[in-house]
Amino acid sequence: MNPRRKSRLYLAIVVLIGVALTATLMLYALRSNIDLFYTPSEILQGKGENHEKPEVGQRLRIGGMVMPGSVKRDQKTLQVSFKVYDARGAIDVTYTGILPDLFREGQGVVAQGVLGEGNVVNAREVLAKHDEKYTPPEVADAMKENHKGPASAYTPPQNEGAKS
């Protein structure tokens, strides 16, 4: 091989390795900033065909309806806990801060936070749903599929392995 072609080949290989390394590092850095969307039933039973459950400490967004009668406020602090439910499950959410004006029981919400022990989401932000046209597509699809009945029709899943 001619020396000029050889040097061009080496340069092309170095550029390709550099681009691949840059892309890999960018994707790795962005990975920690991704908040995946889950419904309460997907957290409890898994998401997709493989039923992949989120791990404790994973950042996520959870969307559903605020269960009537579940909102508990601490009188001394701004801490609020409530349940977010869909047709197949309910998840506890804790939040410290001022809730949106549109937040109420029976209202659709999206909470962004971290999954803690016992399937409790420690939210850093709570968004109240107020109009269908502002709902992200994945939230709208999940709400249509999972909220076909009123909150009174919800029955929590039985613990199969629980001992009495």
Side-chain angles (χ1 to χ4, degrees):
M1 188 181 284
N2 146 353
R4 188 172 184 185
R5 283 189 178 177
K6 198 173 192 179
S7 66
R8 283 184 183 170
L9 178 63
Y10 288 144
L11 179 63
I13 290 173
V14 168
V15 168
L16 286 175
I17 290 173
V19 168
L21 183 62
T22 302
T24 301
L25 290 174
M26 285 175 50
L27 291 174
Y28 181 75
L30 291 175
R31 185 176 142 229
S32 65
N33 291 329
I34 294 175
D35 293 337
L36 298 175
F37 178 79
Y38 288 89
T39 61
S41 59
E42 289 173 340
I43 290 176
L44 295 171
Q45 294 143 12
K47 186 174 190 172
E49 295 176 4
N50 297 334
H51 298 287
E52 295 178 26
K53 295 181 181 180
E55 300 171 3
V56 172
Q58 178 178 333
R59 291 174 41 167
L60 52 77
R61 292 184 304 151
I62 179 172
M65 305 293 277
V66 178
M67 184 176 279
S70 70
V71 178
K72 294 178 180 61
R73 298 174 191 268
D74 186 348
Q75 298 300 323
K76 297 177 183 172
T77 65
L78 292 176
Q79 184 157 358
V80 179
S81 65
F82 54 94
K83 290 184 183 282
V84 175
Y85 78 98
D86 65 6
R88 291 177 244 138
I91 295 291
D92 290 319
V93 177
T94 61
Y95 176 69
T96 302
I98 299 173
L99 290 167
D101 292 338
L102 296 172
F103 179 89
R104 66 177 90 26
E105 296 176 353
Q107 181 76 21
V109 296
V110 175
Q112 296 177 332
V114 176
L115 183 64
E117 293 289 332
N119 288 333
V120 175
V121 175
N122 300 310
R124 59 178 161 69
E125 184 177 16
V126 175
L127 306 170
K129 181 180 153 193
H130 61 88
D131 194 345
E132 292 295 326
K133 67 182 178 184
Y134 297 115
T135 305
E138 68 269 17
V139 176
D141 293 343
M143 297 289 271
K144 285 178 191 170
E145 178 183 333
N146 293 325
H147 296 287
K148 295 180 180 169
S152 59
Y154 168 74
T155 56
Q158 301 296 322
N159 292 341
E160 296 169 5
K163 295 180 182 176
S164 300

